[in-house]
Amino acid sequence: MSALSTRIQNLSESATIKMAKLGRELAAKGVDVISLSFGEPDFHTPEHIKEAAKQAMDKNFTYYTPVAGYPELRKAVVAKLKNENNLDYDFSEIVVSTGAKQAIANAVLCLVNPGEEVIIPTPYWVSYSEVVKLAEGTSVFINTTVDTNFKITPEQLEAAITPNTKLFMFSSPCNPTGSVYSKDELEGLAKVFEKHPHVYILSDEIYEHINFVDKHESIAQFDYIKDRVVIINGWSKAFAMTGWRIGYTASTKELASAFDKMQGQVTSGTCSITQRAGVAAYEGGLESVLEMRAAFKKRRDIVYKLLSEIEGIKVNLPDGAFYFFPNVTSFFGKSYEGRVINDSDDLSLYLLEEGHVATVGGDSFGDPSSIRLSYAAAEDTLIEAMRRLKEALGKLA
Ligand code: PMP
Ligand code: GLU
């Protein structure tokens, strides 16, 4: 019998991290692997942010910080929410965490009791359902498909809510589909939540700045539900700061105090130097963010054209984030040299081993009909990756 708790035994390994690891292992054996598995910007952190971190060390910002983050940083978040999103928060309502990942874990663990239901539209980011498992909650999925641009309707939401629903979790722009909810679409959902005051909403807005259609819209803008919304956001994607580990929640003071208490027992405040860099990022303007967004848009267009040309692939044009989530069911049941592709995980492994392109199977995103490709890579690399995909998929018969 394993000494490990059932909690950890029941938890799945993060599929994004697993595929990135497999890709790296193959590369270490000398294989030229193109990694489209891991969702992280390939840009360097902008210079002025790195400079602020160097100065933080020189100025001895090297001690424990308040658990929820330096007040100056939380005030910078409040200013950002006001200036960019027209949302009013007090700095006591902001909790800075070790990445948006910890912010999500705080929210779920502080809100969900064992057996309570958490509604998650599929496909969803891999960690959502796993954190719900840690909280011993029950995930209730609303399935969407490429045909509806992977968005849910108010009617689907209404039908999924029960007296036992505690939380609704979603991302817009969405990882893994790139779908972006418009203001009208969010309002449609908000009106449903208005009728069900026992339901909280976790709104993951980490891809806010990688939006090719419109200005970002947050579901927290609807005053009649704002006190039940937990905004998740961070620096990883907007400022290419994945390794720095910094994210935040904006919520009510009551919830913020709970997140602070939780974090105080698990990690304390995130790295002091990172926090100083976070202030510089928010005070330094959006120039670098806009440059990165323009590069992502160009890449999206290149990949969309090439992917659409591959026979058997069904794909939508994502409005944001940096992922494609093409439907690959037409390849199921096909084989190459005796290797049969039964599902999207098989296909993802086949593409890694035969095509030397790392992707992630859709199963862990709650949608086994598709695979996820990250296009956070240089244009030449993406063109070569699409050539390899086409070749490897073309071999399946
Ligand atoms: N939410 C989504 C939708 C993500 O894709 C990610 C991936 N990084 C996170 C949260 C976590 O981000 P962070 O690096 O800030 O922990
Ligand atoms: N969010 C990224 C992804 O979806 C990074 C991996 C992770 O944090 O799980 O690939």
Side-chain angles (χ1 to χ4, degrees), residues 9-305:
Q9 289 189 58
N10 289 341
L11 196 72
S12 305
E13 181 181 359
S14 162
T16 50
I17 291 177
K18 184 173 159 191
M19 280 310 287
K21 206 157 68 184
L22 281 179
R24 275 198 290 262
E25 276 166 18
L26 206 59
K29 288 184 192 152
V31 178
D32 162 33
V33 175
I34 298 180
S35 177
L36 305 185
S37 58
F38 212 35
E40 71 174 338
D42 54 321
F43 302 104
H44 293 310
T45 304
E47 283 307 319
H48 67 282
I49 300 175
K50 291 196 264 190
E51 197 47 49
K54 290 175 199 165
Q55 280 180 26
M57 276 186 271
D58 290 342
K59 290 184 185 160
N60 294 311
F61 282 93
T62 52
Y63 298 89
Y64 285 131
T65 75
V67 171
Y70 288 127
E72 192 191 355
L73 176 61
R74 285 185 282 156
K75 285 177 183 163
V77 171
V78 168
K80 175 254 179 269
L81 288 167
K82 182 68 195 165
N83 299 336
E84 292 180 13
N85 311 104
N86 196 25
L87 293 172
D88 290 306
Y89 284 95
D90 184 71
F91 90 100
S92 61
E93 296 171 325
I94 309 300
V95 176
V96 176
S97 301
T98 307
K101 222 174 214 179
Q102 186 182 27
I104 293 169
N106 282 344
V108 174
L109 290 169
C110 290
L111 278 166
V112 179
N113 286 308
E116 286 182 330
E117 292 164 8
V118 180
I119 300 176
I120 309 177
T122 73
Y124 52 81
W125 182 47
V126 293
S127 295
Y128 290 177
S129 54
E130 296 305 314
V131 182
V132 172
K133 269 193 207 165
L134 281 183
E136 297 176 50
T138 306
S139 293
V140 173
F141 300 113
I142 303 179
N143 294 324
T144 71
T145 67
V146 66
D147 301 315
T148 56
N149 230 348
F150 299 108
K151 292 191 236 181
I152 62 162
T153 60
E155 293 72 30
Q156 283 177 299
L157 177 62
E158 181 73 64
I161 294 176
T162 73
N164 202 24
T165 306
K166 187 58 173 285
L167 184 65
F168 171 81
M169 277 172 100
F170 79 125
S171 61
S172 176
C174 175
N175 177 2
T177 64
S179 295
V180 176
Y181 281 83
S182 68
K183 183 174 176 179
D184 284 353
E185 287 164 343
L186 290 175
E187 190 169 17
L189 302 183
K191 292 221 166 96
V192 177
F193 291 122
E194 189 181 16
K195 286 192 264 168
H196 300 280
H198 62 293
V199 181
Y200 286 75
I201 301 112
L202 183 152
S203 174
D204 186 344
E205 304 180 19
I206 189 127
Y207 294 96
E208 155 174 23
H209 290 293
I210 308 170
N211 176 342
F212 313 125
V213 276
D214 262 320
K215 84 171 180 43
H216 177 69
E217 299 289 349
S218 171
I219 197 162
Q221 71 187 280
F222 304 105
D223 286 342
Y224 46 93
I225 57 161
K226 182 169 176 252
D227 63 349
R228 288 183 276 135
V229 175
V230 180
I231 293 182
I232 305 285
N233 209 328
W235 285 253
S236 285
K237 316 292 168 172
F239 299 96
M241 288 177 70
T242 48
W244 297 72
R245 309 313 301 134
I246 180 167
Y248 66 85
T249 47
S251 63
T252 58
K253 199 166 175 187
E254 187 196 357
L255 290 176
S257 303
F259 305 157
D260 185 315
K261 182 161 86 172
M262 168 72 73
Q263 196 162 285
Q265 295 290 18
V266 183
T267 55
S268 288
T270 195
C271 170
S272 53
I273 297 154
T274 292
Q275 291 189 41
R276 296 292 303 168
V279 174
Y282 272 0
E283 288 180 348
L286 291 176
E287 199 184 323
S288 57
V289 178
L290 296 177
E291 274 170 30
M292 288 189 248
R293 181 170 72 192
F296 280 129
K297 183 162 190 272
K298 206 160 156 230
R299 294 164 176 187
R300 176 200 66 166
D301 293 340
I302 292 170
V303 175
Y304 179 65
K305 180 172 177 294

